[in-house]
Amino acid sequence: MNNSIPRIVRRANRIRRLRPEQIQQSYRCFSCSIRHAQQQTPRPDESPRTTHFGFETVAESLKQSKVAEVFSSVASSYDTMNDLMSLGIHRLWKDHFVSSINPGLNPLIHTPSPSSSSTSAPTDPLRILDIAGGTGDIAFRILDYTTTIHNDSTSHVTVADINPSMLSEGQKRASKSPYANTGRIDFIEANAEQLSTIPSNSIDIYTVAFGIRNFTSIPTALREAHRVLKPGGLFACLEFSKVQNPVFDAVYKRWSFGAIPLIGQVVAGDRDSYQYLVESIERFPKQEEFSRMIGEAGFLIPGGGGKEGEKGGWEDLSGGIAAIHKGIKPAGSGIAAVGGGSV
Amino acid sequence: MAKPQQNCLRAVFRSSATCSSWRLLPIASYRSFSVLNRPPPNYEGHVPLTRVERAGLAFGSALWSFFDPTRADLIAALGEATAQPYFITRLRNAMLVSPTGRRILRDRPRLTSQTLNLDYLRSLPTNTVGRAYITWLDLEGVSPDTRDTVRYIDDPECAYVMQRYRECHDFYHALTGLPIMREGEVALKAFEFANTLLPMTGLSIGAVATLKRPERERFFSVYGPWAIRNGVNSQEVINIYWEEELENDVDALRERLGIEKPPDLRAIRKAEREKKKREKASNGSL
């Protein structure tokens, strides 16, 4: 379109710099990277533990690199594709997710009084960890919410993502946002199953939006979330889930498996990444099972779990296309969270 | 369902009228299926598409590539989405009729940077097929590996025919001498349409609407008629075993096939540019 000429030049330059032995790695196409990854078969002495990658079964050690290829490939067109695939509704989901967490410590309510006893903890600024949040959709919404609704300008968000391409998209947006030099947002490259740079009992709110289905081992990620959260801290997860109504489900499945890879092909030139995305949605456990997994990791499910609704373990969005799951780390010894979020 | 079976049987009889092979029996891919239960792939990378998906891909890729012609992958997808059920089979049958075409279908050679020795091609004399081919590649800044793999054609042999057509496109540039700019590409697509009858090549002629006015006039007066005339009269270019023609002279090959050399488009455009420059200079000096 109107930027086609610089695109021709950029593409020609990129191709000119290719040498034949490098062409295979520089391919943006997903199917070539799958072939490349499949040629690296796991060594026989490695444990043959497998996990799912969409509808394929792969060795656990390969899944991470395969997911990495998917997200490096989709990073630049991520926002456009999200809008096209969900017809813009993903924005409403994310807005609702953040407002249902209700983050923020109003400074008028939460300043420690001079006569407070020495045993009560001073009010630290809220520390929020957004996992798999590369492009910053949730992080920026949280910062906006705390600043505008609760007048809280001290809360801090750390955006962690395993994929550098997604992180750099997020950093680009951060530099253009009002939070550019405020020190309220940090980007770190980290694996959600091994958050080695984040100390235990240090996070007030742990959020993960549309990321957890890509993890190699969900229980490991849940246990790691449990570790880094302060007692009383909130675990909140927004993820695709099972549609309850069977008629709507039939339509939704046909849209997922028919239209979405096609849109991926036409808009992004990459059918396979979007085929993986819809398959990974299909493979993700349903609401009851995921709620049970959260409980098994040591979280308390608000309302006791097992059913949907305000008192239940999860909240369905758009008829079950997406769902918000929450859990609270039980309060115990250690620095308690001040309750800067809500369930 | 009787209708699709009737249609494919009709296609079988029509195409088998030109060749006596009964390998053209309807295969499982003609049975209708939904996106939720696709049949297993017929070759690596194969994605069986439903009719609705194929139509969607054809429309989507046609529209998007019209506005952004640098998306070669969409033009490739358009070709695959529109070639079935009849046109790619017709092309494959044209290969079966010729002895060289049959050899190509049996050997299934691929044109990649591994199978072609690019440095050797660069060392060939100037008017050879191989040298002309590598010159076009270097000018465009691509390697033979940048062509997408065929995914949406159900029959594996027809998929190979499509892949071969795609890989030979740069050879057609060398054969006809048409340059790689939009004007030359449209003229080459017109030639390919007259010769191979693939719908994508015909649809690509629609890109004439995006040409500048003098280019459009040149197309309708010179290159369009040249393309149709030569495409129809020459032999099927899909049957050329390019790997064996690399050291031959381009003009001799053209004569053998029955293709006239079109007017040198680069020279014409250059002459026009100079004329404009001179006019501008003389106007400026007034």
Side-chain angles (χ1 to χ4, degrees), chain B residues 154-202:
Chain B
D154 296 325
D155 178 47
E157 193 172 44
C158 291
Y160 171 74
V161 172
M162 183 57 113
Q163 187 76 45
R164 178 78 181 167
Y165 156 74
R166 206 174 279 169
E167 288 171 358
C168 292
H169 178 78
D170 293 309
F171 275 108
Y172 302 153
H173 273 292
L175 183 69
T176 56
L178 288 167
I180 55 170
M181 54 205 59
R182 206 181 276 212
E183 199 186 342
E185 290 285 357
V186 174
L188 186 60
K189 279 285 182 288
F191 171 78
E192 285 177 352
F193 180 56
N195 197 275
T196 64
L197 275 186
L198 288 172
M200 175 268 287
T201 52

Side-chain angles (χ1 to χ4, degrees), chain B residues 228-241:
Chain B
I228 305 296
R229 194 171 57 238
N230 283 279
V232 170
N233 290 331
S234 85
Q235 297 175 29
E236 300 263 3
V237 289
I238 192 77
N239 285 331
I240 306 171
Y241 211 134

Side-chain angles (χ1 to χ4, degrees), chain A residues 46 66 81 99 135 145 171 188 272 281 291 297 313 332:
Chain A
E46 279 181 9
K66 293 176 87 136
M81 282 302 305
S99 63
T135 52
Y145 195 93
Q171 270 160 331
I188 60 171
D272 293 315
I281 293 173
S291 187

